[in-house]
């Protein structure tokens, strides 16, 4: 088991890649393997998430963790470089369910019902106001 552990509160890990010599080196898309695969999911972001050319100036990629339950998995990051050695390292990621902030959020159905009720209230108020104004006008009597 890897000695580095990423805590459940961490939702991502950044990795910076550069060459020591300052020369350029092509790297292929980093490969992320999770064991067991059902522990959680991960996505890649960052400027070398699909691979690219690395120089002495650090480039980065980010492993984003998608946790939906309490679990633990070993993450292996593999970086393949054409005409060079493959770099591989591993760490353990602990997960917990993400707290979703939905306490005060309206659903689409709630918004629709509220909109419809407000619309009817406006229509009924306008009708009552129209009738009230219509009844207050002095009625003209026709002279025949």
């Amino acid at each position: 088991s890897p000695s580095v552990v990423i805590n459940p509160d961490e939702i991502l890990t950044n990795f910076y890649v550069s060459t020591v010599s300052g020369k350029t080196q092509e790297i292929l898309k980093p490969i992320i393997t999770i064991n067991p695969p059902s522990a959680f999911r991960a996505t890649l972001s960052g400027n070398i998430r699909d691979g690219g050319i690395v120089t002495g100036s650090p480039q980065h990629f980010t492993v984003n963790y998608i946790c939906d339950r309490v679990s633990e998995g070993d993450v292996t990051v593999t970086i393949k470089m054409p005409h060079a050695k493959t770099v591989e390292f591993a760490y353990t990621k602990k997960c917990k369910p993400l707290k979703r902030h939905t306490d005060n959020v309206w659903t689409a159905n709630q918004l629709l019902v509220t909109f419809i009720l407000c619309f009817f209230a406006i229509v009924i108020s306008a009708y009552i106001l129209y009738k009230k104004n219509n009844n207050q006008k002095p009625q003209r009597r026709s002279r025949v």
Side-chain angles (χ1 to χ4, degrees):
S1 178
S3 61
V4 175
V5 177
I6 307 295
N7 290 324
D9 294 327
E10 301 297 324
I11 60 170
L12 58 86
T13 304
N14 288 309
F15 294 97
Y16 293 87
V17 183
S18 65
T19 58
V20 176
S21 62
K23 294 181 179 177
T24 60
Q25 172 64 54
E26 180 186 2
I27 67 165
L28 302 179
K29 179 178 181 170
I31 300 168
I32 308 299
T33 308
I34 301 166
N35 189 24
S38 61
F40 54 89
R41 293 185 304 128
T43 62
L44 284 175
S45 59
N47 60 357
I48 56 169
R49 67 182 174 274
D50 294 320
I53 304 296
V54 177
T55 62
S57 177
Q59 305 289 318
H60 86 283
F61 66 92
T62 302
V63 179
N64 305 285
Y65 309 108
I66 303 168
C67 298
D68 59 358
R69 60 190 168 87
V70 174
S71 63
E72 184 175 307
D74 291 338
V75 179
T76 303
V77 179
T78 306
I79 301 174
K80 294 186 177 189
M81 297 174 277
H83 315 295
K85 292 183 179 181
T86 295
V87 175
E88 191 170 79
F89 53 92
Y91 55 92
T92 300
K93 169 68 177 124
K94 293 184 177 185
C95 274
K96 67 179 182 181
L98 289 175
K99 182 176 179 184
R100 290 174 173 79
H101 300 284
T102 57
D103 299 339
N104 298 318
V105 176
W106 289 52
T107 65
N109 286 340
Q110 289 171 325
L111 288 172
L112 183 62
V113 168
T114 303
F115 174 77
I116 290 170
L117 290 174
C118 289
F119 178 77
F120 280 122
I122 291 170
V123 168
I124 291 169
S125 298
Y127 177 76
I128 291 171
L129 190 62
Y130 171 77
K131 280 295 206 181
K132 186 177 178 182
N133 285 342
N134 219 11
N135 288 339
Q136 287 180 353
K137 289 182 181 177
Q139 293 182 354
R140 290 184 170 180
R141 296 188 179 235
S142 60
R143 294 183 184 177
V144 182

PDB file of all heavy atoms in Angstrom, residues 34-41 68-69 71-72:
ATOM      1  N   ILE A  34      -7.307   3.409 -10.714  1.00  0.00           N
ATOM      2  CA  ILE A  34      -7.813   3.359  -9.342  1.00  0.00           C
ATOM      3  C   ILE A  34      -8.079   1.897  -8.982  1.00  0.00           C
ATOM      4  O   ILE A  34      -8.709   1.170  -9.756  1.00  0.00           O
ATOM      5  CB  ILE A  34      -9.102   4.194  -9.205  1.00  0.00           C
ATOM      6  CG1 ILE A  34      -8.823   5.651  -9.587  1.00  0.00           C
ATOM      7  CG2 ILE A  34      -9.668   4.094  -7.791  1.00  0.00           C
ATOM      8  CD1 ILE A  34     -10.049   6.490  -9.805  1.00  0.00           C
ATOM      9  N   ASN A  35      -7.572   1.498  -7.829  1.00  0.00           N
ATOM     10  CA  ASN A  35      -7.758   0.127  -7.382  1.00  0.00           C
ATOM     11  C   ASN A  35      -8.291   0.115  -5.950  1.00  0.00           C
ATOM     12  O   ASN A  35      -7.610   0.631  -5.071  1.00  0.00           O
ATOM     13  CB  ASN A  35      -6.437  -0.641  -7.470  1.00  0.00           C
ATOM     14  CG  ASN A  35      -6.635  -2.125  -7.217  1.00  0.00           C
ATOM     15  OD1 ASN A  35      -7.720  -2.656  -7.417  1.00  0.00           O
ATOM     16  ND2 ASN A  35      -5.580  -2.773  -6.761  1.00  0.00           N
ATOM     17  N   PRO A  36      -9.466  -0.411  -5.699  1.00  0.00           N
ATOM     18  CA  PRO A  36     -10.397  -1.029  -6.647  1.00  0.00           C
ATOM     19  C   PRO A  36     -11.093   0.031  -7.502  1.00  0.00           C
ATOM     20  O   PRO A  36     -11.328   1.143  -7.039  1.00  0.00           O
ATOM     21  CB  PRO A  36     -11.400  -1.755  -5.738  1.00  0.00           C
ATOM     22  CG  PRO A  36     -11.398  -0.963  -4.474  1.00  0.00           C
ATOM     23  CD  PRO A  36      -9.986  -0.451  -4.323  1.00  0.00           C
ATOM     24  N   PRO A  37     -11.420  -0.315  -8.737  1.00  0.00           N
ATOM     25  CA  PRO A  37     -12.030   0.657  -9.656  1.00  0.00           C
ATOM     26  C   PRO A  37     -13.354   1.228  -9.159  1.00  0.00           C
ATOM     27  O   PRO A  37     -13.738   2.321  -9.551  1.00  0.00           O
ATOM     28  CB  PRO A  37     -12.245  -0.152 -10.947  1.00  0.00           C
ATOM     29  CG  PRO A  37     -11.314  -1.312 -10.842  1.00  0.00           C
ATOM     30  CD  PRO A  37     -11.170  -1.608  -9.382  1.00  0.00           C
ATOM     31  N   SER A  38     -14.050   0.521  -8.293  1.00  0.00           N
ATOM     32  CA  SER A  38     -15.363   0.980  -7.812  1.00  0.00           C
ATOM     33  C   SER A  38     -15.256   1.958  -6.637  1.00  0.00           C
ATOM     34  O   SER A  38     -16.268   2.474  -6.172  1.00  0.00           O
ATOM     35  CB  SER A  38     -16.200  -0.226  -7.386  1.00  0.00           C
ATOM     36  OG  SER A  38     -15.538  -0.906  -6.324  1.00  0.00           O
ATOM     37  N   ALA A  39     -14.038   2.237  -6.148  1.00  0.00           N
ATOM     38  CA  ALA A  39     -13.870   3.099  -4.966  1.00  0.00           C
ATOM     39  C   ALA A  39     -14.362   4.525  -5.238  1.00  0.00           C
ATOM     40  O   ALA A  39     -15.075   5.106  -4.419  1.00  0.00           O
ATOM     41  CB  ALA A  39     -12.420   3.119  -4.520  1.00  0.00           C
ATOM     42  N   PHE A  40     -14.002   5.094  -6.375  1.00  0.00           N
ATOM     43  CA  PHE A  40     -14.403   6.431  -6.780  1.00  0.00           C
ATOM     44  C   PHE A  40     -13.982   6.624  -8.224  1.00  0.00           C
ATOM     45  O   PHE A  40     -13.318   5.768  -8.807  1.00  0.00           O
ATOM     46  CB  PHE A  40     -13.793   7.527  -5.875  1.00  0.00           C
ATOM     47  CG  PHE A  40     -12.301   7.442  -5.746  1.00  0.00           C
ATOM     48  CD1 PHE A  40     -11.466   8.086  -6.632  1.00  0.00           C
ATOM     49  CD2 PHE A  40     -11.725   6.692  -4.719  1.00  0.00           C
ATOM     50  CE1 PHE A  40     -10.090   7.992  -6.523  1.00  0.00           C
ATOM     51  CE2 PHE A  40     -10.352   6.592  -4.599  1.00  0.00           C
ATOM     52  CZ  PHE A  40      -9.533   7.240  -5.500  1.00  0.00           C
ATOM     53  N   ARG A  41     -14.343   7.776  -8.803  1.00  0.00           N
ATOM     54  CA  ARG A  41     -13.930   8.104 -10.170  1.00  0.00           C
ATOM     55  C   ARG A  41     -12.993   9.291 -10.130  1.00  0.00           C
ATOM     56  O   ARG A  41     -12.961  10.038  -9.154  1.00  0.00           O
ATOM     57  CB  ARG A  41     -15.139   8.426 -11.052  1.00  0.00           C
ATOM     58  CG  ARG A  41     -16.030   7.215 -11.280  1.00  0.00           C
ATOM     59  CD  ARG A  41     -17.179   7.476 -12.240  1.00  0.00           C
ATOM     60  NE  ARG A  41     -18.004   8.606 -11.823  1.00  0.00           N
ATOM     61  CZ  ARG A  41     -18.318   9.630 -12.628  1.00  0.00           C
ATOM     62  NH1 ARG A  41     -17.890   9.691 -13.856  1.00  0.00           N
ATOM     63  NH2 ARG A  41     -19.079  10.613 -12.170  1.00  0.00           N
ATOM     64  N   ASP A  68     -18.639   9.673  -4.004  1.00  0.00           N
ATOM     65  CA  ASP A  68     -20.061   9.707  -3.661  1.00  0.00           C
ATOM     66  C   ASP A  68     -20.381   8.871  -2.428  1.00  0.00           C
ATOM     67  O   ASP A  68     -21.541   8.734  -2.056  1.00  0.00           O
ATOM     68  CB  ASP A  68     -20.917   9.269  -4.852  1.00  0.00           C
ATOM     69  CG  ASP A  68     -20.593   7.867  -5.322  1.00  0.00           C
ATOM     70  OD1 ASP A  68     -19.669   7.236  -4.758  1.00  0.00           O
ATOM     71  OD2 ASP A  68     -21.255   7.391  -6.263  1.00  0.00           O
ATOM     72  N   ARG A  69     -19.358   8.296  -1.799  1.00  0.00           N
ATOM     73  CA  ARG A  69     -19.563   7.480  -0.599  1.00  0.00           C
ATOM     74  C   ARG A  69     -18.237   7.338   0.134  1.00  0.00           C
ATOM     75  O   ARG A  69     -17.197   7.740  -0.366  1.00  0.00           O
ATOM     76  CB  ARG A  69     -20.125   6.111  -0.967  1.00  0.00           C
ATOM     77  CG  ARG A  69     -19.191   5.323  -1.891  1.00  0.00           C
ATOM     78  CD  ARG A  69     -19.902   4.078  -2.418  1.00  0.00           C
ATOM     79  NE  ARG A  69     -19.163   3.489  -3.497  1.00  0.00           N
ATOM     80  CZ  ARG A  69     -18.176   2.607  -3.341  1.00  0.00           C
ATOM     81  NH1 ARG A  69     -17.803   2.226  -2.148  1.00  0.00           N
ATOM     82  NH2 ARG A  69     -17.552   2.120  -4.387  1.00  0.00           N
ATOM     83  N   SER A  71     -15.119   5.556   0.962  1.00  0.00           N
ATOM     84  CA  SER A  71     -14.337   4.499   0.309  1.00  0.00           C
ATOM     85  C   SER A  71     -12.865   4.872   0.353  1.00  0.00           C
ATOM     86  O   SER A  71     -12.490   5.969   0.784  1.00  0.00           O
ATOM     87  CB  SER A  71     -14.801   4.297  -1.139  1.00  0.00           C
ATOM     88  OG  SER A  71     -14.577   5.472  -1.890  1.00  0.00           O
ATOM     89  N   GLU A  72     -12.043   3.958  -0.104  1.00  0.00           N
ATOM     90  CA  GLU A  72     -10.600   4.177  -0.150  1.00  0.00           C
ATOM     91  C   GLU A  72     -10.056   3.409  -1.340  1.00  0.00           C
ATOM     92  O   GLU A  72     -10.465   2.281  -1.603  1.00  0.00           O
ATOM     93  CB  GLU A  72      -9.965   3.657   1.145  1.00  0.00           C
ATOM     94  CG  GLU A  72      -8.494   3.919   1.257  1.00  0.00           C
ATOM     95  CD  GLU A  72      -7.941   3.490   2.613  1.00  0.00           C
ATOM     96  OE1 GLU A  72      -8.499   3.913   3.646  1.00  0.00           O
ATOM     97  OE2 GLU A  72      -6.950   2.747   2.612  1.00  0.00           O
TER      98      GLU A  72
END
